[in-house]
Amino acid sequence: AVLSCHRSYRSRPTHGIGRYKYLLPKEGPKRKKERVQMKEISPGTEFEFGDVNIQMTSYDLCLVEHFAQYVHRLCNRLGIRVIESYAMPTKTNEVLFLEERGSKMQLDAVLTTHQRVVQIRGLSSTFAPILLEMIQSSQPEGVHLLMKQHTEADFKRRLKSRPELEELLAQMS
Amino acid sequence: LCSFSSCSSWLPQRVPLRGNHWQSSLLTPRTALPVRAQPKKKKKVDVKREQAQKDRMKKKLKKLERAAPELIPIEDFITPLKYSDGSRVRSLPPLSPEETERRVLLLKKWCLFKQRQDEAEKKAIQTLVESQQEALKELRLESEELYQAAIRRDEGLFPFEREGPTYTPPLPGYDPPEGKCVDITKVYTQ
């Protein structure tokens, strides 16, 4: 009895008849989950500021989002390099007030504070006051503006806290 | 022990009491040398146990450190589930032609207004930059030193804080009711 083989013979014209992977576009190396790593903070030179954070805080979400978008677009237009534009975690506050006739605290409102950050690099020292002026003149109501140098602590505030790791470290040392 | 105490009674005072070989020195009668067999075992086991504990802790630490730190999820970007219900659909009433005409004209007026605003802003930036450059040029002609000092970056500029303008600024003589603010932000841990 002749065995029926499904092997393709290199001499036969039907060799490699089932191939199709070579026709598909190249996928590239499989990307593992990208680790959240802090980008290097540049200190800046004598004539240029390093990484500057423009932080906008407000109770109103839409205003702060639109203002952040406006600032980002302004920086793009003026040729200032924007490294990152992200949102800080939202903070929720419960406002309680004491009733006039009574000792019980009554819930007044639940306020959410939103914060957006636009990070820029390479702001020249002569242009910085002009940029400040433009951002200030278009600052909407209720939006608190803060511009400061970027530090590692600012980055750490975005990350989740790890109490177990800290406990272990405290125990080890 | 009672036998030793009895023999101490007839010994002259000068001879030190060396009968009790568990006493390490004359000066410390209370403390005694550790008894031979048991405590050494305890020591070994203790050291081993401690080592094992330390190793376990180090392993745990390494495992935790290997895990990448995660960003806190932002609640603003997560739509609450009640809004993902597809059954609620808004039906708008049909608009009359006059209304559409009015809206289109209003939109055009708004576009024009925004364009003028944007152009004014660009012009303002340009004039500021130009005047600054001119001033710096004149300063350079005046004195090179001052020019170099002016070019340097201003350390006092950052941090810069400013509150936005308000429709209803705080009243001067207002006495607010007593109360407190409680922070109920959700704490995320990894």
Side-chain angles (χ1 to χ4, degrees):
Chain A
V2 178
L3 291 165
S4 57
C5 312
H6 296 283
R7 288 185 299 157
S8 40
Y9 288 83
R10 273 180 269 177
S11 52
R12 289 282 173 89
T14 52
H15 179 69
I17 195 165
R19 274 174 70 206
Y20 70 94
K21 274 258 168 85
Y22 70 101
L23 294 168
L24 295 173
K26 290 254 163 122
E27 255 184 30
K30 212 180 188 183
R31 262 208 219 158
K32 275 189 188 174
K33 211 176 178 185
E34 282 175 17
R35 281 184 77 129
V36 174
Q37 258 174 7
M38 191 181 76
K39 294 189 182 163
E40 285 172 21
I41 304 174
S42 74
T45 62
E46 280 174 355
F47 310 110
E48 273 183 10
F49 291 94
D51 285 350
V52 174
N53 271 5
I54 308 174
Q55 293 175 342
M56 294 150 275
T57 327
S58 173
Y59 295 121
D60 190 353
L61 175 65
C62 302
L63 270 183
V64 95
E65 277 263 2
H66 286 250
F67 189 45
Q69 280 179 16
Y70 165 77
V71 165
H72 196 152
R73 284 197 184 153
L74 186 73
C75 292
N76 283 351
R77 230 189 319 149
L78 299 171
I80 302 169
R81 190 174 151 207
V82 173
I83 303 164
E84 272 189 84
S85 169
Y86 53 86
M88 292 292 279
T90 332
K91 292 185 193 160
T92 325
N93 277 325
E94 235 180 32
V95 180
L96 307 154
F97 73 95
L98 196 65
E99 280 179 67
E100 279 178 30
R101 289 166 208 173
S103 57
K104 198 179 142 190
M105 288 283 204
Q106 204 191 52
L107 179 69
D108 195 20
V110 177
L111 296 171
T112 48
T113 312
H114 310 269
Q115 192 178 52
R116 298 283 181 273
V117 179
V118 177
Q119 209 177 83
I120 51 179
R121 188 185 284 180
L123 182 67
S124 70
S125 49
T126 48
F127 196 70
I130 298 176
L131 183 72
L132 226 68
E133 184 67 40
M134 296 318 298
I135 295 179
Q136 268 183 77
S137 63
S138 55
Q139 197 177 352
E141 57 272 341
V143 173
H144 176 92
L145 177 74
L146 168 65
M147 283 177 84
K148 60 192 271 282
Q149 304 270 20
H150 183 59
T151 55
E152 208 177 310
D154 289 326
F155 178 75
K156 291 260 157 76
R157 272 199 289 142
R158 287 173 79 190
L159 302 171
K160 285 188 190 167
S161 65
R162 297 155 112 179
E164 299 151 348
L165 190 71
E166 279 162 30
E167 249 185 63
L168 271 177
L169 280 168
Q171 269 184 1
M172 292 288 278
S173 57
Chain B
L1 270 155
C2 47
S3 57
F4 288 121
S5 58
S6 60
C7 72
S8 69
S9 59
W10 60 266
L11 276 171
Q13 273 192 338
R14 278 196 188 171
V15 177
L17 184 70
R18 273 310 196 175
N20 190 3
H21 62 273
W22 284 300
Q23 226 174 351
S24 50
S25 79
L26 296 167
L27 298 168
T28 59
R30 298 252 177 199
T31 60
L33 262 176
V35 182
R36 293 276 153 171
Q38 276 180 326
K40 265 209 171 158
K41 257 192 207 165
K42 262 196 204 162
K43 258 193 188 170
K44 266 190 194 163
V45 169
D46 262 352
V47 162
K48 264 192 183 172
R49 251 196 230 167
E50 266 183 48
Q51 269 286 311
Q53 238 185 5
K54 268 193 183 172
D55 286 329
R56 260 180 280 153
M57 267 172 46
K58 275 190 192 164
K59 230 183 170 179
K60 241 189 188 178
L61 198 79
K62 267 191 197 170
K63 208 179 174 184
L64 282 174
E65 271 182 353
R66 228 186 296 155
E70 286 167 29
L71 290 173
I72 301 177
I74 308 221
E75 290 154 15
D76 301 342
F77 302 149
I78 308 167
T79 43
L81 285 170
K82 64 178 186 180
Y83 299 135
S84 58
D85 186 22
S87 57
R88 281 183 61 188
V89 178
R90 185 193 287 194
S91 57
L92 295 166
L95 296 170
S96 61
E98 293 91 11
E99 184 63 30
T100 42
E101 185 83 23
R102 191 186 78 92
R103 286 191 187 186
V104 164
L105 286 171
L106 188 67
L107 193 70
K108 287 175 95 69
K109 274 192 213 167
W110 176 251
C111 286
L112 194 69
F113 167 76
K114 278 308 247 183
Q115 188 194 34
R116 292 221 174 111
Q117 199 185 49
D118 196 43
E119 268 174 31
E121 193 187 64
K122 284 189 178 139
K123 204 173 161 189
I125 295 178
Q126 210 178 6
T127 44
L128 278 170
V129 167
E130 274 173 9
S131 53
Q132 197 186 48
Q133 290 299 318
E134 222 184 279
L136 282 172
K137 215 168 36 171
E138 292 295 317
L139 185 65
R140 194 164 206 180
L141 290 171
E142 277 290 320
S143 85
E144 187 69 31
E145 254 183 38
L146 285 173
Y147 173 75
Q148 288 298 330
I151 290 280
R152 278 168 186 276
R153 75 185 214 190
D154 187 8
E155 301 296 338
L157 194 58
F158 300 122
F160 172 79
E161 244 188 283
R162 187 180 177 245
E163 292 277 351
T166 44
Y167 278 131
T168 53
L171 295 170
Y174 180 61
D175 181 29
E178 277 183 34
K180 62 179 178 184
C181 217
V182 179
D183 191 8
I184 50 168
T185 326
K186 190 175 168 187
V187 174
Y188 292 89
T189 51
Q190 190 171 2

